[in-house]
Amino acid sequence: MSRVLIIGAGGVSSVTVKKCARLPEMFDEIYLASRTLSKCEALQKEVGADRLKGVFTVDADNADAVAELINKVKPDLVVNLALPYQDLPIMDACLATKTDYLDTANYEPKDEAKFEYSWQWAYQQKFQDAGIMALLGSGFDPGVTNVYTAYAAKHYFDEIHYLDIVDCNGGDHGQAFATNFNPEINIREITQRGRFWENGEWKETEPLTVREDLDYQNIGVRASYLMFHEELESLVKHFPTLKRARFWMTFGDAYLNHLKVLEGIGMTSIAPIDFQGQQIVPLEFLKAVLPNPGSLAEGYTGKTCIGTYITGIKDGKEKTIFIYNNCDHAVCYDEVGAQAVSYTTGVPAMIGAALMLNKTWNKPGVWNMEQFDPDPFMAMLNDHGLPWHVIECESSPFAK
Ligand code: NDP
């Protein structure tokens, strides 16, 4: 008997809820809580009250309120699909109630766009002492990309040296400017300075200034920009043989031009301003006027290609492999009414939850995805809509 409480009822959550609902043998009872009850009720109507047994409103910024809800529902696992700001209060509530925890994005303070695991890693001892487990970053990137890296290290190399994670959205949603997941979180992430790991230290670049034109499977050549992404931090820690680790994301010219203008006029700022006698945060206002990422799903065409290039040594010889998934927006829409970015995050959250509930991944403490055996996760990706492929490359596609 397993009981899961999912917090957050946005784009990613709707995919996770629907995927969990279809697997009664893994998820006996599903409960959903979020800030806006009507969104939870709408999902319950879609999947049925027999599978989504209860819906609640909760302010997940308030650890006591979350603990009270956990005490009422008594889940075996809390799946946090709210926003990164809520990671610590929800972890505190899990500690108070001795309940396992999973999320898809690392904690970020609301008043500072700072992406690092230090705050959540600081819970390691407390989670171990309480005999509970936290699985951090069980989305696609972070998440699947960490597992791809662990899988490559386990099956293809004696030692891994160079890591390049690439994230391409080759889709077209027909909007002038929109983000594919929560706009506030997304814009905070892409407007920060670029950062990558090389020869034992972090190196910084101006935001979105380092570009490579990469050829993506079943999509074609796309301009790809170096940026920091949170899984780099845990991967260089857990694979100390890495000499370099970078992350690349594709952006079209129209997207970058919009972003440049919005930044130039201060609309992406997170510093509050006075507006008609009220304090508002420009980026929060921008989020309110941009399309809801969920609304992009209908009519979205094209595919994503997210993967991991890894170069390392096997039997004394250098080689490079690419592990990747293609995900088709329209196919996701037909299956669960979502676009591929929500789908590629929501499915790994379900898989991580399933592996925790059935104790395949089971260790008290706070862990990143690459710290577990990748094989069962990789097998479930193939079974649940995110099949992957491995290509042995003749050489790395990146300029050395
Ligand atoms: P959405 O904005 O669509 O959904 C967030 C949900 O959380 C909303 O339902 C929102 O409520 C709820 N929420 C926000 N604040 C609170 C609060 N204080 N208390 C309770 N509920 C709250 O975001 P997404 O679904 O796009 O993203 C969800 C998470 O997934 C984010 O953390 C994001 O960073 C992460 N992500 C991870 C990826 C990966 O590959 N690892 C990729 C994409 C996203 P309301 O409806 O009232 O606003």
Side-chain angles (χ1 to χ4, degrees):
M1 161 85 186
S2 66
R3 185 179 294 168
V4 66
L5 169 63
I6 297 172
I7 300 181
V12 174
S13 172
S14 78
V15 174
T16 307
V17 166
K18 289 174 190 173
K19 288 295 226 181
C20 292
R22 290 180 193 167
L23 295 167
E25 67 284 9
M26 291 183 197
F27 301 92
D28 295 299
E29 291 187 9
I30 307 162
Y31 294 83
L32 178 66
S34 192
R35 184 166 52 190
T36 311
L37 185 63
S38 58
K39 292 191 186 174
C40 303
E41 287 169 340
L43 259 171
Q44 189 178 38
K45 216 168 158 195
E46 269 193 82
V47 302
D50 54 329
R51 294 299 295 126
L52 186 48
K53 297 249 181 226
V55 292
F56 308 90
T57 178
V58 70
D59 175 8
D61 288 317
N62 180 339
D64 291 338
V66 179
E68 198 178 307
L69 177 64
I70 294 175
N71 281 328
K72 187 149 94 185
V73 173
K74 299 201 183 323
D76 302 294
L77 171 67
V78 172
V79 173
N80 169 14
L81 300 176
L83 297 179
Y85 317 130
Q86 282 85 49
D87 288 5
L88 298 189
I90 298 177
M91 286 177 82
D92 284 329
C94 284
L95 260 180
T97 55
K98 293 202 183 347
T99 311
D100 287 343
Y101 168 91
L102 174 152
D103 67 29
T104 63
N106 72 6
Y107 173 70
E108 242 179 89
K110 206 159 175 53
D111 55 358
E112 195 186 356
K114 197 168 169 197
F115 307 85
E116 57 179 60
Y117 278 113
S118 58
W119 289 284
Q120 290 179 277
W121 284 343
Y123 282 68
Q124 173 68 278
Q125 195 60 49
K126 286 189 260 186
F127 267 59
Q128 267 177 13
D129 292 346
I132 56 171
M133 170 176 161
L135 183 62
L136 306 183
S138 191
F140 207 105
D141 45 340
V144 174
T145 52
N146 304 55
V147 176
Y148 283 172
T149 307
Y151 186 80
K154 179 174 174 185
H155 296 287
Y156 285 85
F157 294 99
D158 298 324
E159 210 171 79
I160 60 172
H161 291 167
Y162 299 99
L163 171 70
D164 283 284
I165 299 168
V166 294
D167 180 335
C168 172
N169 182 2
D172 180 8
H173 49 53
Q175 301 278 336
F177 181 80
T179 64
N180 291 288
F181 67 96
N182 185 287
E184 190 185 328
I185 304 299
N186 190 207
I187 290 174
R188 281 163 71 110
E189 178 179 86
I190 62 184
T191 51
Q192 66 177 321
R193 285 173 70 75
R195 192 146 50 105
F196 65 102
W197 180 258
E198 192 168 45
N199 297 328
E201 59 176 344
W202 291 106
K203 296 188 174 166
E204 289 205 357
T205 64
E206 290 301 316
L208 307 180
T209 51
V210 180
R211 167 177 170 172
E212 290 251 3
D213 291 343
L214 300 172
D215 195 359
Y216 291 91
Q217 279 62 28
N218 302 307
I219 293 175
V221 176
R222 291 288 187 278
S224 309
Y225 294 85
L226 186 146
M227 53 183 267
F228 179 69
H229 223 239
E230 62 199 58
E231 64 266 49
L232 296 179
E233 188 189 8
S234 71
L235 287 167
V236 300
K237 180 176 178 205
H238 298 129
F239 293 100
T241 58
L242 281 173
K243 296 177 186 183
R244 189 181 65 205
R246 303 180 296 191
F247 182 95
W248 306 82
M249 191 176 277
T250 59
F251 297 104
D253 288 344
Y255 185 96
L256 291 178
N257 288 339
H258 276 85
L259 191 64
K260 207 177 278 173
V261 172
L262 291 168
E263 263 190 298
I265 58 174
M267 282 305 297
T268 60
S269 168
I270 57 173
I273 56 155
D274 202 44
F275 177 71
Q276 297 183 343
Q278 201 182 328
Q279 290 275 296
I280 65 161
V281 173
L283 182 56
E284 288 178 7
F285 177 74
L286 177 62
K287 175 187 179 239
V289 297
L290 287 176
N292 168 5
S295 72
L296 304 173
E298 194 173 357
Y300 209 144
T301 55
K303 290 182 171 72
T304 62
C305 176
I306 316 177
T308 311
Y309 282 97
I310 297 159
T311 300
I313 298 289
K314 180 71 177 174
D315 300 330
K317 282 200 199 119
E318 186 175 276
K319 68 172 191 172
T320 299
I321 66 164
F322 182 48
I323 313 184
Y324 72 96
N325 161 263
N326 276 133
C327 189
D328 189 308
H329 289 287
V331 172
C332 298
Y333 185 69
D334 284 347
E335 188 195 324
V336 289
Q339 35 95 340
V341 178
S342 303
Y343 190 89
T344 53
T345 312
V347 172
M350 177 282 284
I351 295 175
L355 292 177
M356 285 178 73
L357 287 170
N358 70 16
K359 308 281 181 210
T360 305
W361 283 8
N362 178 31
K363 191 160 56 161
V366 174
W367 311 106
N368 294 91
M369 306 285 287
E370 66 273 20
Q371 293 179 278
F372 291 93
D373 179 6
D375 294 357
F377 196 99
M378 292 292 274
M380 285 188 74
L381 286 171
N382 281 334
D383 293 342
H384 296 283
L386 293 175
W388 45 272
H389 314 275
V390 180
I391 298 176
E392 303 233 6
C393 310
E394 288 195 356
S395 61
S396 164
F398 296 89
K400 275 249 168 170

